């Protein structure tokens, strides 16, 4: 059962009893996206929080001035993909989330999420801990973007996210880092072992 992947993730932070696990299963639905399918579109309200069982997603904003995608984040196996602001406030999203490859997610609706936490209050701790981790990542990204040069950002990305780097096309990584794909090609060529 695909929910076991999520339960394994949760068990890194808290332990659930068998009764709690049985309750937990009632709240989730499985969804498969084909490459190019949208999990969320700009202007739609994020009705579901999604846990990636397998696959890869990109979250992006369309830069109106340049007309290109600005990558906000990637979500691969064992990650979460959601517009937290849109989901928590049930207001329209300002960005898109799209499948880069065939992706399976587990989803919980906003209403079911509230019910889940009411029935299993210990899960509040789990969601708080993953949110804290996510905020730490955002803070690091802000620092890296403001302080480090593009080459340093690229190598930090490879070091911190090797699984993403192996799964996501180079041009999307370039967008995430705010550089061109050609720039990354030059860095790779320059640092290629002789």
């Amino acid at each position: 059962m695909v929910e076991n992947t999520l339960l394994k993730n949760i068990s890194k932070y808290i332990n659930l009893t068998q009764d709690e696990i049985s309750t937990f299963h009632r709240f989730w639905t499985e969804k498969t996206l084909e490459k190019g399918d949208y999990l969320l579109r700009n202007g739609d309200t994020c009705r579901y929080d999604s846990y990636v069982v397998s696959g890869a997603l990109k979250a992006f904003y369309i830069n109106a001035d340049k007309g290109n995608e600005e990558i906000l984040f990637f979500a691969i196996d064992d990650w979460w993909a959601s517009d937290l602001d849109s989901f928590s406030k049930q207001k329209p999203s300002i960005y898109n989330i799209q499948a880069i490859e065939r992706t399976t997610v587990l989803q919980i609706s906003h209403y079911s999420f509230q019910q889940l936490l009411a029935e299993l209050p210990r899960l509040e701790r789990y969601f708080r801990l993953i949110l804290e981790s996510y905020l730490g990542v955002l803070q690091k990204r802000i620092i890296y973007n403001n302080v480090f040069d593009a080459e340093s950002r690229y190598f930090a990305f490879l070091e911190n996210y090797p699984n993403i780097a192996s799964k996501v096309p180079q041009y999307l990584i370039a967008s995430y880092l705010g550089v061109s794909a050609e720039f990354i090609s030059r860095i790779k060529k320059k640092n290629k072992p002789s």
Side-chain angles (χ1 to χ4, degrees), residues 49-107:
D49 198 1
S50 300
Y51 170 81
V52 181
V53 175
S54 63
L57 300 164
K58 63 179 179 178
F60 63 96
Y61 176 81
I62 301 292
N63 183 322
D65 294 334
K66 298 177 186 174
N68 61 327
E69 293 180 1
E70 303 283 343
I71 301 293
L72 305 171
F73 65 83
F74 300 107
I76 60 169
D77 308 10
D78 204 27
W79 289 46
W80 290 88
S82 180
D83 178 337
L84 292 175
D85 190 46
S86 175
F87 182 73
S88 65
K89 296 175 183 168
Q90 288 296 279
K91 67 177 193 176
S93 176
I94 61 168
Y95 60 84
N96 303 282
I97 302 177
Q98 185 180 33
I100 298 170
E101 62 184 35
R102 190 171 204 265
T103 301
T104 300
V105 296
L106 287 174
Q107 294 188 306

Side-chain angles (χ1 to χ4, degrees), residues 1-34:
M1 181 174 268
V2 293
E3 288 169 346
N4 291 340
T5 307
L6 176 52
L7 286 169
K8 207 180 283 186
N9 181 287
I10 290 169
S11 72
K12 294 176 193 172
Y13 301 89
I14 63 169
N15 293 315
L16 297 176
T17 67
Q18 282 302 336
D19 286 344
E20 288 172 324
I21 289 170
S22 295
T23 300
F24 177 85
H25 285 298
R26 292 194 340 248
F27 291 94
W28 300 87
T29 56
E30 183 180 333
K31 180 174 184 169
T32 299
L33 302 162
E34 297 302 328

